[in-house]
Each structure stands twice: as C-alpha cells, then as structure tokens.
PDB file of all heavy atoms in Angstrom:
ATOM      1  N   LEU A   1     -43.921   9.390  47.563  1.00 80.00           N
ATOM      2  CA  LEU A   1     -42.912   9.711  46.569  1.00 80.00           C
ATOM      3  C   LEU A   1     -41.506   9.232  46.928  1.00 80.00           C
ATOM      4  O   LEU A   1     -41.010   9.293  48.110  1.00 80.00           O
ATOM      5  CB  LEU A   1     -42.788  11.244  46.461  1.00 80.00           C
ATOM      6  CG  LEU A   1     -44.011  11.958  45.810  1.00 80.00           C
ATOM      7  CD1 LEU A   1     -43.908  13.449  45.963  1.00 80.00           C
ATOM      8  CD2 LEU A   1     -44.089  11.545  44.276  1.00 80.00           C
ATOM      9  N   GLN A   2     -40.792   8.685  45.894  1.00 81.00           N
ATOM     10  CA  GLN A   2     -39.563   8.065  46.151  1.00 81.00           C
ATOM     11  C   GLN A   2     -38.402   8.677  45.262  1.00 81.00           C
ATOM     12  O   GLN A   2     -38.839   9.136  44.101  1.00 81.00           O
ATOM     13  CB  GLN A   2     -39.567   6.542  45.939  1.00 81.00           C
ATOM     14  CG  GLN A   2     -40.476   5.767  46.788  1.00 81.00           C
ATOM     15  CD  GLN A   2     -40.147   5.924  48.270  1.00 81.00           C
ATOM     16  OE1 GLN A   2     -39.034   5.830  48.723  1.00 81.00           O
ATOM     17  NE2 GLN A   2     -41.208   6.162  49.069  1.00 81.00           N
ATOM     18  N   ALA A   3     -37.280   8.884  45.681  1.00 80.00           N
ATOM     19  CA  ALA A   3     -36.194   9.576  44.751  1.00 80.00           C
ATOM     20  C   ALA A   3     -36.036   8.671  43.541  1.00 80.00           C
ATOM     21  O   ALA A   3     -36.060   7.437  43.739  1.00 80.00           O
ATOM     22  CB  ALA A   3     -34.978   9.684  45.617  1.00 80.00           C
ATOM     23  N   VAL A   4     -35.810   9.221  42.429  1.00 79.00           N
ATOM     24  CA  VAL A   4     -35.490   8.546  41.162  1.00 79.00           C
ATOM     25  C   VAL A   4     -34.336   9.291  40.439  1.00 79.00           C
ATOM     26  O   VAL A   4     -34.120  10.421  40.817  1.00 79.00           O
ATOM     27  CB  VAL A   4     -36.724   8.392  40.311  1.00 79.00           C
ATOM     28  CG1 VAL A   4     -37.856   7.585  40.853  1.00 79.00           C
ATOM     29  CG2 VAL A   4     -37.240   9.729  39.869  1.00 79.00           C
ATOM     30  N   ASP A   5     -33.794   8.583  39.462  1.00 75.00           N
ATOM     31  CA  ASP A   5     -32.657   9.216  38.670  1.00 75.00           C
ATOM     32  C   ASP A   5     -33.311  10.200  37.648  1.00 75.00           C
ATOM     33  O   ASP A   5     -34.076   9.814  36.835  1.00 75.00           O
ATOM     34  CB  ASP A   5     -31.972   8.130  37.928  1.00 75.00           C
ATOM     35  CG  ASP A   5     -30.852   8.658  37.189  1.00 75.00           C
ATOM     36  OD1 ASP A   5     -30.580   9.831  36.947  1.00 75.00           O
ATOM     37  OD2 ASP A   5     -29.972   7.780  36.577  1.00 75.00           O
ATOM     38  N   PRO A   6     -32.896  11.559  37.748  1.00 72.00           N
ATOM     39  CA  PRO A   6     -33.499  12.590  36.951  1.00 72.00           C
ATOM     40  C   PRO A   6     -33.176  12.292  35.514  1.00 72.00           C
ATOM     41  O   PRO A   6     -34.054  12.675  34.653  1.00 72.00           O
ATOM     42  CB  PRO A   6     -32.732  13.822  37.374  1.00 72.00           C
ATOM     43  CG  PRO A   6     -32.248  13.606  38.806  1.00 72.00           C
ATOM     44  CD  PRO A   6     -31.991  12.083  38.854  1.00 72.00           C
ATOM     45  N   LYS A   7     -32.056  11.640  35.155  1.00 66.00           N
ATOM     46  CA  LYS A   7     -31.879  11.271  33.738  1.00 66.00           C
ATOM     47  C   LYS A   7     -32.931  10.372  33.107  1.00 66.00           C
ATOM     48  O   LYS A   7     -33.183  10.376  31.945  1.00 66.00           O
ATOM     49  CB  LYS A   7     -30.394  10.651  33.556  1.00 66.00           C
ATOM     50  CG  LYS A   7     -29.332  11.705  33.824  1.00 66.00           C
ATOM     51  CD  LYS A   7     -27.968  11.145  33.600  1.00 66.00           C
ATOM     52  CE  LYS A   7     -27.566  10.045  34.643  1.00 66.00           C
ATOM     53  NZ  LYS A   7     -27.109  10.336  35.914  1.00 66.00           N
ATOM     54  N   GLU A   8     -33.441   9.460  33.905  1.00 67.00           N
ATOM     55  CA  GLU A   8     -34.501   8.567  33.395  1.00 67.00           C
ATOM     56  C   GLU A   8     -35.948   9.028  33.517  1.00 67.00           C
ATOM     57  O   GLU A   8     -36.840   8.519  32.887  1.00 67.00           O
ATOM     58  CB  GLU A   8     -34.447   7.274  34.346  1.00 67.00           C
ATOM     59  CG  GLU A   8     -33.140   6.670  34.339  1.00 67.00           C
ATOM     60  CD  GLU A   8     -32.606   6.170  33.076  1.00 67.00           C
ATOM     61  OE1 GLU A   8     -33.396   5.687  32.188  1.00 67.00           O
ATOM     62  OE2 GLU A   8     -31.319   6.394  32.730  1.00 67.00           O
ATOM     63  N   PHE A   9     -36.020  10.241  34.127  1.00 64.00           N
ATOM     64  CA  PHE A   9     -37.327  10.711  34.523  1.00 64.00           C
ATOM     65  C   PHE A   9     -37.992  11.659  33.365  1.00 64.00           C
ATOM     66  O   PHE A   9     -39.172  11.622  33.164  1.00 64.00           O
ATOM     67  CB  PHE A   9     -37.091  11.517  35.772  1.00 64.00           C
ATOM     68  CG  PHE A   9     -38.306  12.005  36.409  1.00 64.00           C
ATOM     69  CD1 PHE A   9     -39.256  11.113  37.058  1.00 64.00           C
ATOM     70  CD2 PHE A   9     -38.671  13.367  36.398  1.00 64.00           C
ATOM     71  CE1 PHE A   9     -40.297  11.597  37.603  1.00 64.00           C
ATOM     72  CE2 PHE A   9     -39.785  13.821  37.012  1.00 64.00           C
ATOM     73  CZ  PHE A   9     -40.778  13.000  37.649  1.00 64.00           C
ATOM     74  N   ALA A  10     -37.219  12.513  32.800  1.00 59.00           N
ATOM     75  CA  ALA A  10     -37.697  13.588  31.940  1.00 59.00           C
ATOM     76  C   ALA A  10     -38.700  13.100  30.893  1.00 59.00           C
ATOM     77  O   ALA A  10     -39.767  13.705  30.655  1.00 59.00           O
ATOM     78  CB  ALA A  10     -36.539  14.322  31.282  1.00 59.00           C
ATOM     79  N   PRO A  11     -38.465  11.975  30.080  1.00 58.00           N
ATOM     80  CA  PRO A  11     -39.395  11.522  29.093  1.00 58.00           C
ATOM     81  C   PRO A  11     -40.798  11.250  29.640  1.00 58.00           C
ATOM     82  O   PRO A  11     -41.866  11.616  28.991  1.00 58.00           O
ATOM     83  CB  PRO A  11     -38.812  10.309  28.467  1.00 58.00           C
ATOM     84  CG  PRO A  11     -37.348  10.537  28.768  1.00 58.00           C
ATOM     85  CD  PRO A  11     -37.198  11.169  30.109  1.00 58.00           C
ATOM     86  N   SER A  12     -40.940  10.696  30.855  1.00 62.00           N
ATOM     87  CA  SER A  12     -42.140  10.428  31.367  1.00 62.00           C
ATOM     88  C   SER A  12     -42.915  11.667  32.008  1.00 62.00           C
ATOM     89  O   SER A  12     -44.131  11.568  32.152  1.00 62.00           O
ATOM     90  CB  SER A  12     -42.054   9.337  32.482  1.00 62.00           C
ATOM     91  OG  SER A  12     -41.408   9.840  33.622  1.00 62.00           O
ATOM     92  N   LEU A  13     -42.157  12.693  32.123  1.00 62.00           N
ATOM     93  CA  LEU A  13     -42.750  13.878  32.532  1.00 62.00           C
ATOM     94  C   LEU A  13     -43.543  14.734  31.651  1.00 62.00           C
ATOM     95  O   LEU A  13     -44.517  15.330  31.813  1.00 62.00           O
ATOM     96  CB  LEU A  13     -41.683  14.713  33.302  1.00 62.00           C
ATOM     97  CG  LEU A  13     -41.974  16.180  33.866  1.00 62.00           C
ATOM     98  CD1 LEU A  13     -42.741  15.997  35.069  1.00 62.00           C
ATOM     99  CD2 LEU A  13     -40.760  16.919  33.971  1.00 62.00           C
ATOM    100  N   LEU A  14     -42.921  14.751  30.409  1.00 59.00           N
ATOM    101  CA  LEU A  14     -43.361  15.774  29.273  1.00 59.00           C
ATOM    102  C   LEU A  14     -44.803  15.587  28.944  1.00 59.00           C
ATOM    103  O   LEU A  14     -45.515  16.612  28.627  1.00 59.00           O
ATOM    104  CB  LEU A  14     -42.495  15.646  28.091  1.00 59.00           C
ATOM    105  CG  LEU A  14     -41.095  16.104  28.422  1.00 59.00           C
ATOM    106  CD1 LEU A  14     -40.216  15.949  27.156  1.00 59.00           C
ATOM    107  CD2 LEU A  14     -41.083  17.523  28.948  1.00 59.00           C
ATOM    108  N   PRO A  15     -45.374  14.325  28.848  1.00 60.00           N
ATOM    109  CA  PRO A  15     -46.803  14.231  28.497  1.00 60.00           C
ATOM    110  C   PRO A  15     -47.735  14.983  29.510  1.00 60.00           C
ATOM    111  O   PRO A  15     -48.914  15.322  29.068  1.00 60.00           O
ATOM    112  CB  PRO A  15     -47.129  12.811  28.446  1.00 60.00           C
ATOM    113  CG  PRO A  15     -45.895  12.103  28.260  1.00 60.00           C
ATOM    114  CD  PRO A  15     -44.746  13.024  28.976  1.00 60.00           C
ATOM    115  N   ALA A  16     -47.370  15.371  30.636  1.00 61.00           N
ATOM    116  CA  ALA A  16     -48.273  16.027  31.739  1.00 61.00           C
ATOM    117  C   ALA A  16     -48.612  17.435  31.293  1.00 61.00           C
ATOM    118  O   ALA A  16     -49.643  17.888  31.680  1.00 61.00           O
ATOM    119  CB  ALA A  16     -47.604  15.975  33.042  1.00 61.00           C
ATOM    120  N   PHE A  17     -47.854  18.055  30.451  1.00 64.00           N
ATOM    121  CA  PHE A  17     -47.924  19.512  30.193  1.00 64.00           C
ATOM    122  C   PHE A  17     -49.020  19.606  29.085  1.00 64.00           C
ATOM    123  O   PHE A  17     -48.987  18.880  28.053  1.00 64.00           O
ATOM    124  CB  PHE A  17     -46.633  20.101  29.841  1.00 64.00           C
ATOM    125  CG  PHE A  17     -45.726  20.075  31.030  1.00 64.00           C
ATOM    126  CD1 PHE A  17     -44.810  19.024  31.109  1.00 64.00           C
ATOM    127  CD2 PHE A  17     -46.019  20.852  32.202  1.00 64.00           C
ATOM    128  CE1 PHE A  17     -44.044  18.910  32.289  1.00 64.00           C
ATOM    129  CE2 PHE A  17     -45.256  20.738  33.289  1.00 64.00           C
ATOM    130  CZ  PHE A  17     -44.304  19.711  33.335  1.00 64.00           C
ATOM    131  N   GLY A  18     -49.864  20.726  29.194  1.00 62.00           N
ATOM    132  CA  GLY A  18     -50.964  20.939  28.241  1.00 62.00           C
ATOM    133  C   GLY A  18     -52.191  20.300  28.653  1.00 62.00           C
ATOM    134  O   GLY A  18     -53.248  20.467  28.233  1.00 62.00           O
ATOM    135  N   ARG A  19     -52.139  19.438  29.812  1.00 62.00           N
ATOM    136  CA  ARG A  19     -53.272  18.893  30.432  1.00 62.00           C
ATOM    137  C   ARG A  19     -53.733  19.586  31.661  1.00 62.00           C
ATOM    138  O   ARG A  19     -54.614  19.078  32.296  1.00 62.00           O
ATOM    139  CB  ARG A  19     -52.986  17.347  30.726  1.00 62.00           C
ATOM    140  CG  ARG A  19     -52.854  16.501  29.466  1.00 62.00           C
ATOM    141  CD  ARG A  19     -52.815  15.031  29.788  1.00 62.00           C
ATOM    142  NE  ARG A  19     -52.465  14.720  31.176  1.00 62.00           N
ATOM    143  CZ  ARG A  19     -51.670  13.638  31.444  1.00 62.00           C
ATOM    144  NH1 ARG A  19     -51.143  12.957  30.508  1.00 62.00           N
ATOM    145  NH2 ARG A  19     -51.316  13.510  32.747  1.00 62.00           N
ATOM    146  N   GLU A  20     -53.052  20.586  32.097  1.00 58.00           N
ATOM    147  CA  GLU A  20     -53.317  21.389  33.162  1.00 58.00           C
ATOM    148  C   GLU A  20     -53.280  20.584  34.577  1.00 58.00           C
ATOM    149  O   GLU A  20     -54.186  20.689  35.379  1.00 58.00           O
ATOM    150  CB  GLU A  20     -54.673  22.060  32.997  1.00 58.00           C
ATOM    151  CG  GLU A  20     -54.631  22.958  31.813  1.00 58.00           C
ATOM    152  CD  GLU A  20     -55.980  23.764  31.596  1.00 58.00           C
ATOM    153  OE1 GLU A  20     -56.889  23.529  32.485  1.00 58.00           O
ATOM    154  OE2 GLU A  20     -56.120  24.468  30.812  1.00 58.00           O
ATOM    155  N   ASN A  21     -52.347  19.764  34.683  1.00 79.00           N
ATOM    156  CA  ASN A  21     -52.208  19.136  36.012  1.00 79.00           C
ATOM    157  C   ASN A  21     -50.807  19.146  36.659  1.00 79.00           C
ATOM    158  O   ASN A  21     -50.381  18.328  37.323  1.00 79.00           O
ATOM    159  CB  ASN A  21     -52.684  17.653  35.867  1.00 79.00           C
ATOM    160  CG  ASN A  21     -51.792  16.768  35.000  1.00 79.00           C
ATOM    161  OD1 ASN A  21     -51.208  17.277  34.029  1.00 79.00           O
ATOM    162  ND2 ASN A  21     -51.789  15.453  35.313  1.00 79.00           N
ATOM    163  N   ALA A  22     -49.998  20.263  36.168  1.00 91.00           N
ATOM    164  CA  ALA A  22     -48.687  20.471  36.671  1.00 91.00           C
ATOM    165  C   ALA A  22     -48.715  21.768  37.520  1.00 91.00           C
ATOM    166  O   ALA A  22     -49.237  22.698  37.047  1.00 91.00           O
ATOM    167  CB  ALA A  22     -47.706  20.381  35.536  1.00 91.00           C
ATOM    168  N   LEU A  23     -47.980  21.696  38.634  1.00 95.00           N
ATOM    169  CA  LEU A  23     -47.935  22.948  39.402  1.00 95.00           C
ATOM    170  C   LEU A  23     -46.343  23.372  39.541  1.00 95.00           C
ATOM    171  O   LEU A  23     -45.579  22.486  39.765  1.00 95.00           O
ATOM    172  CB  LEU A  23     -48.394  22.637  40.888  1.00 95.00           C
ATOM    173  CG  LEU A  23     -49.870  22.387  41.066  1.00 95.00           C
ATOM    174  CD1 LEU A  23     -50.133  22.067  42.528  1.00 95.00           C
ATOM    175  CD2 LEU A  23     -50.660  23.649  40.575  1.00 95.00           C
ATOM    176  N   LEU A  24     -46.139  24.616  39.294  1.00 97.00           N
ATOM    177  CA  LEU A  24     -44.906  25.298  39.615  1.00 97.00           C
ATOM    178  C   LEU A  24     -44.951  25.858  40.923  1.00 97.00           C
ATOM    179  O   LEU A  24     -45.914  26.552  41.220  1.00 97.00           O
ATOM    180  CB  LEU A  24     -44.590  26.278  38.482  1.00 97.00           C
ATOM    181  CG  LEU A  24     -43.446  27.246  38.793  1.00 97.00           C
ATOM    182  CD1 LEU A  24     -42.099  26.451  38.746  1.00 97.00           C
ATOM    183  CD2 LEU A  24     -43.437  28.380  37.750  1.00 97.00           C
ATOM    184  N   ALA A  25     -43.932  25.539  41.767  1.00 98.00           N
ATOM    185  CA  ALA A  25     -43.900  26.092  43.166  1.00 98.00           C
ATOM    186  C   ALA A  25     -42.556  26.667  43.505  1.00 98.00           C
ATOM    187  O   ALA A  25     -41.466  26.196  42.903  1.00 98.00           O
ATOM    188  CB  ALA A  25     -44.249  25.075  44.205  1.00 98.00           C
ATOM    189  N   ALA A  26     -42.569  27.823  44.194  1.00 98.00           N
ATOM    190  CA  ALA A  26     -41.287  28.439  44.517  1.00 98.00           C
ATOM    191  C   ALA A  26     -41.522  29.049  46.026  1.00 98.00           C
ATOM    192  O   ALA A  26     -42.628  29.265  46.446  1.00 98.00           O
ATOM    193  CB  ALA A  26     -40.956  29.579  43.591  1.00 98.00           C
ATOM    194  N   GLY A  27     -40.362  29.181  46.667  1.00 97.00           N
ATOM    195  CA  GLY A  27     -40.466  29.790  48.024  1.00 97.00           C
ATOM    196  C   GLY A  27     -39.532  28.887  48.868  1.00 97.00           C
ATOM    197  O   GLY A  27     -38.672  28.183  48.379  1.00 97.00           O
ATOM    198  N   ASP A  28     -39.906  28.927  50.132  1.00 96.00           N
ATOM    199  CA  ASP A  28     -39.206  27.994  51.102  1.00 96.00           C
ATOM    200  C   ASP A  28     -40.099  27.761  52.347  1.00 96.00           C
ATOM    201  O   ASP A  28     -41.432  28.003  52.221  1.00 96.00           O
ATOM    202  CB  ASP A  28     -37.982  28.648  51.600  1.00 96.00           C
ATOM    203  CG  ASP A  28     -38.025  30.065  52.143  1.00 96.00           C
ATOM    204  OD1 ASP A  28     -39.052  30.308  52.691  1.00 96.00           O
ATOM    205  OD2 ASP A  28     -37.092  30.794  52.034  1.00 96.00           O
TER     206      ASP A  28
END
C-alpha cells in the first residue's frame, strides 16, 4: 500500500460497497 491523495481516491472506492469486501476497523 502506498499513500495517495484522498481527493482522487473516493470515486474508485465506492464500487466496493454492496459486494461484501470492505472492512471497518477501529481501535489502536
């Protein structure tokens, strides 16, 4: 994984949802 600009990132992220391959994580 490499750092990318968040402003350019969001549109490519959205198709992942509804396909059950995204994880939400919280903690430390």
Side-chain angles (χ1 to χ4, degrees):
L1 292 168
Q2 302 299 316
V4 295
D5 183 350
K7 292 184 291 277
E8 305 299 322
F9 187 72
S12 67
L13 177 75
L14 296 179
F17 300 98
R19 292 190 337 222
E20 299 181 2
N21 65 332
L23 293 177
L24 168 65
D28 56 29

